[in-house]
Amino acid sequence: MLNRPFFALRGWWLAGVLASGTLLASKQAVAQAAESVEAQQTQAALQEQIDAADEQTREQLKELRRLERETRQLKAENASLTGRLAEEAERQQRLATALDTLEETRAALPVIEQNMAEQLSSWIERDLPFLREERLARVERQPDEQGQNTIERINGLLEAWRVELDYGQEMDSWRGRLSQDGREREVDFLRIGRIGFYYLTPDGREGGVWSAENGAWQPLDDEYLREVRSGLRMAEDQRAPDLLTLPLSISANDLQGEQP
């Protein structure tokens, strides 16, 4: 009878021990679970930090590449700009030199114009006396041309020189007034370049050739009058070009200097 309580007490103790062990195991399991959750949370937070750091690193790398591209572009633009600036500096220097030369040229233009006009007027005065007033008018400054600048005047003189050059290569005829021996009459003039200048009266009975050596008209005989008549028809396109036999207005020595 006495053993029952002992066994009962022993069983109660054993049950208590078992219960305590079970409770302890539960607490340990809970603690381990808590530690595991905390570890997972810590790992997740760490992963988030790593991911955030990776993203930040990627953004920084992206920004670095962008800055490198812009730096290369700026270097290229600076190199190109440096070249352009050097070219512009050289161009400005050339312009400055040209302006200095231009100022000197402008200062010399009036003298050039005067010399050209004097030379051309002198040439016309020495040349055969055909259309003299018309030719001198191209050289002389007219009242309505006072507003012309020097460059325009020089261009006009150059054009006058070109006209004078053309005279040496043309055959021309026109009707005009001839003053001779104190009387004035209407005649037909014939010019053959700058080597022959002739006139013929409308009735064809009288004519002459200008003598540069004597500075006067010399009469022509009937044979030469017929040649002048033929020359007038050729100049007026009334006859095919042909060889004319006429005395010249200038000497053989003057032929070398007939052009202006």
Side-chain angles (χ1 to χ4, degrees):
M1 294 295 294
L2 292 172
N3 292 331
R4 289 180 180 178
F6 174 77
F7 286 116
L9 180 61
R10 186 179 179 182
W12 176 85
W13 177 83
L14 182 59
V17 171
L18 292 174
S20 298
T22 301
L23 180 59
L24 180 60
S26 297
K27 287 183 179 179
Q28 290 177 347
V30 170
Q32 290 176 352
E35 290 177 357
S36 177
V37 171
E38 184 178 358
Q40 291 177 357
Q41 291 176 346
T42 301
Q43 182 66 28
L46 181 61
Q47 186 64 44
E48 289 180 358
Q49 292 178 359
I50 293 173
D51 291 343
D54 288 344
E55 180 65 25
Q56 183 179 9
T57 301
R58 284 193 295 271
E59 290 296 328
Q60 290 176 345
L61 288 174
K62 183 178 179 181
E63 179 66 14
L64 179 60
R65 294 191 185 98
R66 184 184 68 81
L67 291 174
E68 287 177 344
R69 287 195 302 271
E70 290 182 356
T71 300
R72 288 193 298 269
Q73 183 177 358
L74 286 174
K75 288 181 177 179
E77 291 178 353
N78 285 336
S80 176
L81 180 59
T82 300
R84 291 199 300 271
L85 288 175
E87 292 177 358
E88 180 64 19
E90 183 179 355
R91 190 180 74 87
Q92 292 293 338
Q93 182 60 41
R94 291 197 303 268
L95 285 175
T97 303
L99 286 175
D100 292 340
T101 305
L102 181 60
E103 291 300 325
E104 295 176 0
T105 303
R106 284 178 176 172
L109 284 179
V111 177
I112 295 174
E113 174 196 347
Q114 182 178 356
N115 291 338
M116 288 178 64
E118 290 177 354
Q119 291 176 15
L120 188 53
S121 296
S122 176
W123 164 258
I124 294 173
E125 293 290 350
R126 296 194 314 268
D127 195 22
L128 302 182
F130 64 90
L131 305 175
R132 179 166 288 174
E133 293 181 0
E134 176 183 326
R135 295 160 66 192
L136 288 174
R138 295 192 187 99
V139 182
E140 297 172 356
R141 188 190 299 270
Q142 300 300 313
D144 58 347
E145 296 176 345
Q146 295 296 328
Q148 287 185 329
N149 60 38
T150 303
I151 295 178
E152 290 173 341
R153 282 283 300 151
I154 290 177
N155 286 334
L157 290 172
L158 290 173
E159 179 61 28
W161 276 108
R162 284 189 285 268
V163 173
E164 291 296 323
L165 288 172
D166 291 339
Y167 282 144
Q169 305 171 8
E170 298 173 344
M171 184 177 183
D172 193 15
S173 67
W174 67 96
R175 177 159 290 189
R177 307 293 296 180
L178 173 65
S179 297
Q180 187 181 31
D181 299 330
R183 59 176 179 156
E184 187 173 296
R185 49 184 171 167
E186 190 173 70
V187 298
D188 292 317
F189 290 103
L190 172 67
R191 177 181 59 82
I192 301 177
R194 277 198 166 82
I195 61 174
F197 186 31
Y198 314 90
Y199 79 87
L200 186 68
T201 57
D203 58 13
R205 295 181 179 179
E206 186 180 345
V209 56
W210 179 262
S211 172
E213 183 179 359
N214 299 323
W217 291 101
Q218 302 295 322
L220 294 172
D221 58 27
D222 292 341
E223 179 183 357
Y224 291 138
L225 292 178
R226 288 192 297 270
E227 292 292 306
V228 172
R229 190 179 301 110
S230 297
L232 288 170
R233 288 199 296 269
M234 283 189 284
E236 295 168 0
D237 294 328
Q238 296 178 3
R239 176 176 174 174
D242 196 2
L243 182 64
L244 295 175
T245 304
L246 286 167
L248 299 180
S249 295
I250 61 177
S251 65
N253 293 333
D254 294 332
L255 286 174
Q256 297 179 353
E258 64 171 288
Q259 295 294 343

